[in-house]
């Protein structure tokens, strides 16, 4: 196998080195292209560009494969534990018992917000979009934790990761409570990560929220399936902001902004709005599909299509099952689930969607699950952000480590001593 690719331009030949990915996703290294030939590359949307080398997540969009640190999603499906997956993503391996316990304790101890942060919530209008509040409040954490603006070693990364992962659910729950004018619930140290979030969202001063195991497993799974997706829009944003040396809070606040858009994380809200519009009789499923295919209309079939998956999105397959199981367990019927299934059935038989390789993505069924849990539509993208946070941290840390893998600071040796 040749170690270079050849480019011929205006009669001159340029050798470009190859980089071999562990899963056969080989790349041409063009870092010296401009120096050698004066040429640059043009690839809007980075559809053909690997922006970095990464060990975090592998996706094969043609085969519908997604693996975190080499572990496939199906393996995680039977043991849904978001905290374990978060540690694995950030530090590269499944955690030892000691690391898991240390991290869990740290999550518990850091769940509370500085009391002064509550005043910030009061300053937002009740109608404020929760993603705006989340981004602003994650950024605000950097004011309350100046000790983490410069990180020295892996121990500090673990400490800041625990703080951010822990506090983000408190921020999310407070944003929700504030939007409804409800009193904030302090975190309960006796509850593990996901249960504690449900408590902060739904307990009342006069009634403790009762946590159902099936709800817990479903929410864990939703968070796990959102935990990373290699170099997507928000993760690339986190890496880009972090590449300037910006701290983790600032970088992740930017990630929240990137995730907010309807073509990225915001699609989960748009899916429910689409299903509700059909349910309310504004149009039939057939009419909606026809509109989504009409080139004169800006409407798209929300929750369908993906930049990377040109076959099925494995997350959608799992979430469809989880949503059906959860509704059955709760003894509920959600008419939106039937509409979603019908839309899927129509689209998967339609040549427009077949030719363009458009399949349901992660957002198509996640909203049905979140609705069943009682999470309002305007909080869906916030839940996505809570799930994606470990992935953002993993990439931010990987990039930072790449900086640290260079030479340690060393003294300048004068030329004479170097034999000049
Ligand atoms: N409904 C109807 N048509 C679609 C859809 C859709 N959901 N998605 C793509 N198309 C069509 C486009 O109109 C285009 O048609 P054309 O070739 O005739 O012009 C073709 O398929 C390719 O579309 P692109 O936008 O170029 O595809 P791309 O891969 O860049 O976009 C995206 C992917 C943005 C996800 C797109 O499929 C989409 O808008 N989907 C709906 C929004 C959505 O569900 N987003 C969530 C993605 S998952 C996530 O971010 C977590």
């Amino acid at each position: 196998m040749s170690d270079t690719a050849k480019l011929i331009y205006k009669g001159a030949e340029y050798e470009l080195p190859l980089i071999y990915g562990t899963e056969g996703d080989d790349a041409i290294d063009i870092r010296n292209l401009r120096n050698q030939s004066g040429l640059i590359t043009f690839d809007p949307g980075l559809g053909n560009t690997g922006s970095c080398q990464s060990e975090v997540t592998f996706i094969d969009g043609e085969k519908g494969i997604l693996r975190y640190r080499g572990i496939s999603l199906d393996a995680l499906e039977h043991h849904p534990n978001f905290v374990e997956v978060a540690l694995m993503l950030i530090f590269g391996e499944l955690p030892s018992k000691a690391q898991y316990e240390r991290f869990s304790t740290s999550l518990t101890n850091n769940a509370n917000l500085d009391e002064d942060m509550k005043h910030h919530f009061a300053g937002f209008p009740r109608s404020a979009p929760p993603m705006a509040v989340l981004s602003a409040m994650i950024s605000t954490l950097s004011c309350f934790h100046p000790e983490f603006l410069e990180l020295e070693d892996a121990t500090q990364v673990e400490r800041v990761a625990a703080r951010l992962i822990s506090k983000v659910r408190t921020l999310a729950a407070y944003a929700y409570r504030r939007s409804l004018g409800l009193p904030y619930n302090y975190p309960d140290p006796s509850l593990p990560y996901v249960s504690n979030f449900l408590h902060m969202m739904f307990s009342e001063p006069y009634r403790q929220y009762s946590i159902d195991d099936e709800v817990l497993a479903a929410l864990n799974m939703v968070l796990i399936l959102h935990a990373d997706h290699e170099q997507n829009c928000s993760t690339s944003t986190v890496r880009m902001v972090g590449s300037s040396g910006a701290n983790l809070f600032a970088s992740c606040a930017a990630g929240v902004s990137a995730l907010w858009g309807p073509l990225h994380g915001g699609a989960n809200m748009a899916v429910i709005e689409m299903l509700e519009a059909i349910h309310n009789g504004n149009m039939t499923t057939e009419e909606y599909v026809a509109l989504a295919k009409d080139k004169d209309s800006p409407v798209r079939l929300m929750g369908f299509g993906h930049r990377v998956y040109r076959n099925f999105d494995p997350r959608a397959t799992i979430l469809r099952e989880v949503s059906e199981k959860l509704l059955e367990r709760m003894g509920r019927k959600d008419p939106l689930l039937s509409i979603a299934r019908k839309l899927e059935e129509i689209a998967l038989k339609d040549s427009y969607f077949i030719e363009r390789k458009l399949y349901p993505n992660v957002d198509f069924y996640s909203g049905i699950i979140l609705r069943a849990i009682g999470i309002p539509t305007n909080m869906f993208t916030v839940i996505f952000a809570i799930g994606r946070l470990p992935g953002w941290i993993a990439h931010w840390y990987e990039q930072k480590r790449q900086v640290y893998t260079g030479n340690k600071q060393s003294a300048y040796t004068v030329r004479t001593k170097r034999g000049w």
Side-chain angles (χ1 to χ4, degrees):
M1 202 189 303
S2 161
D3 282 328
T4 57
K6 224 172 251 175
L7 172 78
I8 302 170
Y9 171 62
K10 289 189 178 166
E13 273 192 14
Y14 303 96
E15 300 259 339
L16 299 166
L18 295 179
I19 296 175
Y20 298 110
T22 47
E23 293 278 355
D25 42 346
D26 302 335
I28 302 172
D29 180 347
I30 56 154
R31 276 175 287 188
N32 285 321
L33 178 67
R34 190 177 196 173
N35 275 348
Q36 288 175 0
S37 66
L39 287 170
I40 58 168
T41 57
F42 178 67
D43 184 19
L46 305 181
N48 304 287
T49 299
S51 56
C52 61
Q53 282 178 274
S54 178
E55 295 175 1
V56 182
T57 288
F58 172 71
I59 302 173
D60 184 330
E62 298 299 329
K63 295 191 187 135
I65 292 173
L66 170 59
R67 291 190 207 119
Y68 296 157
R69 299 287 186 183
I71 296 182
S72 94
L73 285 185
D74 334 343
L76 302 171
E77 196 182 344
H78 305 294
H79 310 279
N81 182 327
F82 177 62
V83 172
E84 189 178 32
V85 171
L87 274 167
M88 176 180 80
L89 277 171
I90 299 169
F91 296 104
E93 286 173 6
L94 284 166
S96 65
K97 187 168 184 279
Q99 189 189 18
Y100 182 80
E101 285 175 359
R102 186 176 66 232
F103 197 73
S104 297
T105 306
S106 197
L107 290 175
T108 303
N109 293 344
N110 288 292
N112 224 346
L113 302 177
D114 189 298
E115 279 296 298
D116 285 344
M117 281 189 84
K118 278 193 191 166
H119 303 313
H120 292 251
F121 282 99
F124 293 114
R126 287 234 175 110
S127 57
M131 285 297 271
V133 176
L134 190 69
S135 176
M137 294 307 279
I138 290 178
S139 212
T140 305
L141 284 175
S142 55
C143 311
F144 286 86
H145 297 285
E147 72 275 26
F148 291 118
L149 300 191
E150 303 275 346
L151 303 184
E152 303 288 325
D153 52 34
T155 320
Q156 258 199 320
V157 173
E158 188 178 306
R159 287 174 58 214
V160 70
R163 261 174 191 70
L164 186 48
I165 291 174
S166 184
K167 288 186 196 305
V168 78
R169 75 200 147 146
T170 317
L171 294 174
Y174 278 26
Y176 166 70
R177 304 284 299 177
R178 158 80 189 154
S179 72
L180 297 178
L182 297 169
Y184 303 126
N185 292 313
Y186 282 108
D188 178 343
S190 71
L191 294 174
Y193 188 82
V194 177
S195 310
N196 213 343
F197 173 62
L198 289 168
H199 152 71
M200 285 190 275
M201 287 283 289
F202 300 126
S203 282
E204 298 300 344
Y206 48 86
R207 180 177 38 80
Q208 185 76 6
Y209 176 76
S210 151
I211 295 160
D212 178 279
D213 284 348
E214 202 71 46
V215 166
L216 206 54
L219 189 53
N220 260 292
M221 208 56 221
V222 168
L223 295 176
I224 288 171
L225 293 180
H226 287 85
D228 194 42
H229 214 243
E230 51 118 299
Q231 313 308 321
N232 55 81
C233 174
S234 56
T235 303
S236 302
T237 302
V238 170
R239 282 188 91 117
M240 171 120 19
V241 174
S243 73
S244 73
N247 66 73
L248 185 63
F249 303 118
S251 304
C252 290
V256 171
S257 298
L259 186 69
W260 191 0
L263 297 188
H264 190 13
N268 55 14
M269 285 167 66
V271 169
I272 292 296
E273 283 156 12
M274 169 185 80
L275 297 176
E276 274 172 345
I278 297 170
H279 179 57
N280 294 339
N282 297 353
M283 62 181 92
T284 63
T285 40
E286 288 78 6
E287 282 166 350
Y288 195 95
V289 170
L291 201 59
K293 287 161 48 178
D294 182 353
K295 288 290 153 205
D296 293 328
S297 124
V299 170
R300 287 193 165 192
L301 185 52
M302 297 312 288
F304 253 72
H306 197 278
R307 239 320 155 72
V308 182
Y309 295 114
R310 299 300 177 189
N311 195 314
F312 63 99
D313 178 340
R315 302 167 301 175
T317 313
I318 294 176
L319 287 180
R320 185 176 57 202
E321 274 172 35
V322 171
S323 64
E324 283 168 357
K325 213 167 130 196
L326 180 65
L327 288 173
E328 195 185 306
R329 164 79 177 74
M330 292 174 128
R332 271 204 227 157
K333 283 209 183 313
D334 185 343
L336 299 198
L337 178 61
S338 319
I339 296 171
R341 300 229 46 174
K342 191 160 174 213
L343 273 177
E344 182 184 3
E345 203 184 305
I346 297 172
L348 293 183
K349 283 190 205 141
D350 190 307
S351 59
Y352 174 96
F353 295 91
I354 295 169
E355 279 159 19
R356 289 169 180 77
K357 300 187 174 177
L358 302 169
Y359 295 87
N361 60 46
V362 67
D363 295 315
F364 199 65
Y365 286 104
S366 62
I368 307 271
I369 297 171
L370 297 178
R371 255 165 72 88
I373 295 173
I375 293 169
T377 314
N378 71 348
M379 286 290 289
F380 286 5
T381 319
V382 169
I383 303 294
F384 191 152
I386 298 175
R388 184 53 57 89
L389 191 57
W392 290 340
I393 297 173
H395 285 275
W396 181 88
Y397 181 36
E398 181 175 74
Q399 175 177 259
K400 209 162 173 56
R401 263 186 310 178
Q402 282 169 14
V403 174
Y404 283 137
T405 50
N407 288 341
K408 285 199 167 167
Q409 188 178 8
S410 44
Y412 175 71
T413 315
V414 289
R415 283 183 196 169
T416 45
K417 288 201 175 164
R418 287 186 277 138
W420 284 38

